[in-house]
Amino acid sequence: MSPTASTWSRTVAEALDFIFCRGAYASRDTSRPLKVILLDLKLPKVNGLEVLQAIKTDDRTRFIPVVVVTSSRESPDIRAAYALGANSYVVKPVDFDAFFNAVSSLGLYWLLVNEPPK
């Protein structure tokens, strides 16, 4: 079975390989580009802001909307995320049902309402 945009990545490195079509994902079909990336700032072994910077400074991925979905309400984190090109910043609700509803709403907006550049 070939990987899709909904494939859950086990590690940050695997996620970056998927996004940038490297390693095991080198043959990923890029004719259907990613529609949105949901990114947590609190990642194991790597800072989510570093991942955001990598995505937004690469010509192949800089126009993919990146929504930061994190537990941090810290102003420096919010400012840094927007300075690096985040398209939105959402603080994760603690309650699972509220979190699920928030992520579902985000998906609907970015996949169905937002008009990305062609």
Side-chain angles (χ1 to χ4, degrees):
M1 183 167 124
S2 65
T4 66
S6 63
T7 299
W8 288 96
S9 297
R10 292 181 184 93
T11 66
V12 174
E14 186 178 348
L16 289 171
D17 284 350
F18 182 82
I19 291 167
F20 292 109
C21 300
R22 306 183 299 215
Y25 301 100
S27 62
R28 180 173 69 81
D29 181 9
T30 57
S31 67
R32 293 179 47 194
L34 300 177
K35 303 288 187 204
V36 65
I37 296 171
L38 303 181
L39 175 65
D40 197 336
L41 295 185
K42 313 260 189 249
L43 300 170
K45 300 181 184 177
V46 109
N47 183 320
L49 293 173
E50 293 172 6
V51 173
L52 176 61
Q53 184 174 23
I55 293 166
K56 291 300 186 174
T57 58
D58 190 293
D59 287 339
R60 298 168 295 170
T61 56
R62 68 183 175 147
F63 291 118
I64 299 171
V66 177
V67 178
V68 173
V69 181
T70 189
S71 59
S72 174
R73 290 184 183 276
E74 300 295 319
S75 290
D77 287 341
I78 297 168
R79 278 194 300 274
Y82 279 115
L84 291 171
N87 298 88
S88 185
Y89 191 101
V90 177
V91 177
K92 286 191 250 184
V94 176
D95 176 72
F96 178 77
D97 289 333
F99 174 73
F100 180 82
N101 289 333
V103 171
S104 295
S105 296
L106 284 170
L108 289 173
Y109 171 78
W110 288 103
L111 297 175
L112 301 176
V113 178
N114 182 58
E115 189 66 37
K118 304 268 189 251

